[in-house]
Amino acid sequence: MKLMIANPATGQHKVVEIDDDNKLRPFFDKRMASEIEGDCLGEDFKGYVFRIAGGNDKQGFPMKQGVLTNNRVRLLFKKGMSCFRERRKGCRKRKSVRGCIVGPDLSVMNLVIIKKGEADVEGLTDVMQPRRLGPKRANHIRKLFSLDKKDDVRKFVVRRDCPDKKKKSKAPKIQRLITPQLLQRKRHQKAVIRKRMQAGKEAKEEYMKRLAEYHQELKEAKANEVAKKKGKKTD
């Protein structure tokens, strides 16, 4: 079985091929997202802790989280589900996927390093790979660089070099960035809403006042009619 080990801290990954089933036995019957110590894989991974991220069986079918079986099943997929990409709007498709329980029929298993061990592993923890793409959202940039709300996020965007093009570098447009223009726009929108509510309130008061006058006029007209009828009867 091949183990695709990824290290998010350095951005590196490495493929390790293991033929001895005894080393893989602790992984069997474990579910995806389970955490397992790497001591069973040998001295190189002593002290490491891995998380099972997925895998493929020998026919290439991917593991799907939530399918609690160690064999292949056929499921009806729709938009938004993992292991499926919608080709036409609204279409659904029945596909074969592998369950989320690890077994000996897997050809590749994906692991993620949760905790680094005592020794470095060549090609996995020894070199720091630069980030090609950084986060776009303002709060994610703050989280990555441990910034405060007062710091200017625009100075910390991860830029990418473009030697072949006219622009030397380019950076993503920051999402959810709070600027003075945005605050002014929000204040203007709130002022428009307040003005509209005040105008509606005044219009309602004027309408209720006119309605009360109209009811009073109807009462007076009715009273005059009754008085005229009484006058005719007495004559």
Side-chain angles (χ1 to χ4, degrees):
M1 184 189 292
K2 291 181 181 178
L3 301 180
M4 175 73 78
I5 305 173
N7 188 3
T10 61
Q12 293 181 298
H13 63 275
K14 186 176 182 180
V15 178
V16 179
E17 191 160 358
I18 295 177
D19 298 325
D20 189 2
D21 286 343
N22 292 325
K23 292 183 178 180
L24 299 171
R25 202 173 296 279
F27 290 91
F28 293 162
D29 296 330
K30 293 286 192 298
R31 291 171 54 181
M32 283 174 62
S34 300
E35 295 182 4
I36 298 174
E37 294 182 357
D39 298 346
C40 59
L41 298 178
E43 291 295 324
D44 294 341
F45 297 100
K46 190 174 182 181
Y48 282 79
V49 178
F50 299 109
R51 188 183 78 239
I52 301 173
N56 296 74
D57 63 5
K58 290 176 181 176
Q59 284 74 36
F61 292 95
M63 294 174 70
K64 177 167 173 57
Q65 179 68 289
V67 182
L68 302 178
T69 180
N70 59 354
N71 50 25
R72 206 181 305 157
V73 294
R74 281 178 64 80
L75 300 175
L76 188 65
F77 287 84
K78 64 177 183 179
K79 184 181 179 182
M81 297 175 72
S82 60
C83 305
F84 176 70
R85 183 165 63 89
E86 188 184 44
R87 299 301 202 280
R88 292 169 58 190
K89 186 177 179 181
C91 75
R92 298 185 298 168
K93 189 175 182 182
R94 193 172 293 279
K95 288 183 64 178
S96 293
V97 289
R98 172 65 166 67
C100 68
I101 298 173
V102 179
D105 61 326
L106 294 179
S107 64
V108 181
M109 185 164 56
N110 303 327
L111 302 176
V112 178
I113 294 176
I114 302 297
K115 181 185 173 185
K116 186 176 175 291
E118 302 167 1
D120 284 334
V121 178
E122 185 182 353
L124 198 60
T125 59
D126 53 350
V127 180
M128 194 75 167
Q129 291 278 5
R131 286 186 71 128
R132 180 178 169 272
L133 298 175
K136 290 182 70 175
R137 193 180 299 179
N139 282 340
H140 291 178
I141 296 171
R142 290 192 188 98
K143 186 178 179 182
L144 179 65
F145 294 103
S146 302
L147 303 176
D148 296 329
K149 286 194 174 182
K150 296 179 181 178
D151 296 327
D152 191 3
V153 181
R154 289 170 287 190
K155 296 178 181 178
F156 294 88
V157 181
V158 177
R159 303 191 70 86
R160 191 151 48 98
D161 294 332
C162 302
D164 301 335
K165 298 184 180 179
K166 292 181 180 179
K167 291 183 179 180
K168 292 183 180 179
S169 65
K170 61 181 181 180
K173 182 182 176 183
I174 302 174
Q175 305 294 322
R176 303 188 188 182
L177 181 64
I178 297 173
T179 58
Q181 291 85 355
L182 178 68
L183 296 174
Q184 174 61 28
R185 195 181 305 126
K186 280 192 173 182
R187 284 195 296 270
H188 174 68
Q189 289 171 352
K190 287 182 179 179
V192 168
I193 291 170
R194 275 198 302 269
K195 191 175 180 182
R196 198 180 298 146
M197 289 173 65
Q198 186 65 27
K201 192 176 179 182
E202 291 174 0
K204 185 179 179 182
E205 288 177 358
E206 189 177 346
Y207 171 75
M208 295 304 290
K209 184 179 177 183
R210 181 68 192 92
L211 190 64
E213 290 175 359
Y214 175 68
H215 286 310
Q216 187 64 30
E217 289 172 3
L218 287 178
K219 278 185 181 180
E220 291 176 359
K222 195 172 183 181
N224 291 335
E225 286 182 5
V226 172
K228 283 180 183 178
K229 288 179 181 178
K230 285 183 178 179
K232 286 180 181 180
K233 285 182 181 179
T234 53
D235 292 342

